[in-house]
Amino acid sequence: MKKFYIISNTVKDKDNLVTSKLIKSLKKHGLEYNLRDETGTKKGSYNFKYTDASKIDKDTDCIIVIGGDGTLIQAARDLAVIDIPIIGINLGYLGYLAEVEPDGIDEMISMIENNNFKIESRIMLTGDIYRDGKLIYEDISLNDIVCSRSSVLKIIDFKVYVNDEFLNLYSADGIIISTPTGSTAYNLSAGGPIVEPGANIIVITPICNHNLGSRSIVLSADSNIKIEICEDRHNENNKTALYFDGETLFELAKGDVIKIRKSKLCTRIMKLNRRSFVEVLHNKMN
């Protein structure tokens, strides 16, 4: 790998100390790089939020993201269409995805230069929202798609179908549809299972469900999931929304149908050959 593209979260790297350290290391190894220019970015646009994939050279070998897991997830959503491996330098808290610490930058560049890495393909989800039978919104996620309240603290009712077969009527705060990558995020906090990130499955986890017998359900990644928003039992304006990776929000209405499936796009995460998922999990759990 000879050419890199750098995405830096300037909120976390305020003085560009880590970005400068990375650039210095790339130069020392005689490697090419381009740095994302934030000028003119269309934040909040449909096509991308922070990084415009069309501005990345086609011969780029790797994208280096400086920030936390959230920064890497947003980059993955913006750049899934160009299928370039991503590696993260962690300036956040957990660092499940952004595995490299700032003091390990030079080691990271050396390992990449010596092909001492592996690339993991992580599945993504596509979520389509239908109103009166018409598609009104669609988006992708790397971690999860969450249907939840966006207003007062009252439960919402919704029906869930899998492959067009009725699964359950939930009365809950919401429901999480998670990828294996997202299993250690909101899914974990809601009591869902931790899943090996390379697995080809989808997890459904209700949030504070009022049915005591409700549990998470693990499905094949080929499953098609449908959620129908039921009428508010209190006849009040109990607002509900669909969240993509906790970043993009779309307000839902009674009768809306959400269809969720494995995306045709995926995220390729570069992992250095030094820590297994079990070791990372052990460190984070302790």
Side-chain angles (χ1 to χ4, degrees):
M1 291 191 169
K2 299 296 182 183
K3 190 169 184 178
F4 298 80
Y5 188 85
I6 303 170
I7 298 172
S8 179
N9 184 332
T10 53
V11 174
K12 293 184 177 293
D13 190 21
K14 294 180 181 179
D15 298 320
N16 290 319
L17 296 178
V18 177
T19 302
S20 298
K21 185 176 182 179
L22 172 61
I23 290 173
K24 182 179 180 181
S25 182
L26 290 168
K27 288 180 176 179
K28 183 176 74 173
H29 289 265
L31 301 172
E32 296 181 59
Y33 71 91
N34 286 312
L35 181 64
R36 184 192 63 172
D37 181 6
E38 295 186 18
T39 304
T41 54
K42 301 182 294 181
K43 291 187 178 181
S45 72
Y46 178 77
N47 293 322
F48 67 91
K49 192 168 181 67
Y50 296 110
T51 306
D52 186 350
S54 67
K55 294 184 178 181
I56 300 178
D57 294 342
K58 294 182 179 180
D59 60 347
T60 299
D61 296 308
C62 178
I63 295 167
I64 302 175
V65 178
I66 300 172
D69 285 350
T71 308
L72 191 145
I73 288 168
Q74 186 57 62
R77 295 178 64 205
D78 285 342
L79 307 178
V81 292
I82 60 175
D83 195 33
I84 296 175
I86 299 175
I87 190 167
I89 297 173
N90 184 36
L91 297 183
Y93 174 63
L94 290 174
Y96 278 104
L97 295 173
E99 68 164 56
V100 179
E101 298 300 326
D103 59 1
I105 286 177
D106 206 50
E107 180 190 9
M108 174 191 77
I109 298 301
S110 295
M111 293 181 75
I112 293 175
E113 200 173 23
N114 293 318
N115 294 318
N116 191 12
F117 61 84
K118 60 182 179 179
I119 296 175
E120 297 179 352
S121 181
R122 304 289 184 86
I123 70 169
M124 303 182 78
L125 298 175
T126 293
D128 299 333
I129 301 173
Y130 291 84
R131 184 168 294 166
D132 299 325
K134 296 180 180 179
L135 178 65
I136 59 172
Y137 187 81
E138 60 182 349
D139 207 339
I140 59 173
S141 67
L142 174 60
N143 259 6
D144 50 42
I145 298 176
V146 177
C147 178
S148 183
R149 300 175 305 203
S150 63
S151 59
V152 294
L153 296 178
K154 290 186 178 180
I155 63 173
I156 56 176
D157 297 321
F158 48 89
K159 297 177 181 178
V160 176
Y161 298 79
V162 177
N163 299 326
D164 292 324
E165 292 187 64
F166 179 66
L167 174 65
N168 201 4
L169 170 63
Y170 290 94
S171 296
D173 286 357
I175 194 164
I176 304 165
I177 312 299
S178 170
T179 66
T181 300
S183 69
T184 52
Y186 195 4
N187 170 75
L188 177 61
S189 300
I194 297 175
V195 179
E196 199 281 324
N200 195 36
I201 61 174
I202 297 174
V203 180
I204 297 178
T205 299
I207 306 168
C208 297
N209 188 29
H210 282 230
N211 182 344
L212 296 179
S214 178
R215 295 290 184 271
S216 294
I217 300 171
V218 179
L219 302 171
S220 161
D222 296 325
S223 300
N224 293 308
I225 300 165
K226 182 173 71 174
I227 302 171
E228 292 183 0
I229 306 301
C230 299
E231 185 173 357
D232 186 352
R233 64 174 68 185
H234 302 288
N235 293 317
E236 297 175 358
N237 186 21
N238 191 9
K239 293 183 179 180
T240 306
L242 200 66
Y243 300 83
F244 293 83
D245 282 333
E247 180 72 33
T248 306
L249 175 152
F250 191 91
E251 292 282 356
L252 300 171
K254 178 187 68 176
D256 282 356
V257 174
I258 304 118
K259 294 183 179 180
I260 300 172
R261 64 192 183 279
K262 178 181 175 181
S263 175
K264 293 180 180 179
L265 302 174
C266 70
T267 295
R268 297 170 67 205
I269 303 288
M270 179 182 289
K271 307 292 287 185
L272 304 181
N273 292 334
R274 59 182 183 182
R275 294 194 300 171
S276 67
F277 171 68
V278 173
E279 182 181 353
V280 172
L281 192 61
H282 171 76
N283 291 336
K284 301 304 178 184
M285 291 176 71
N286 286 275

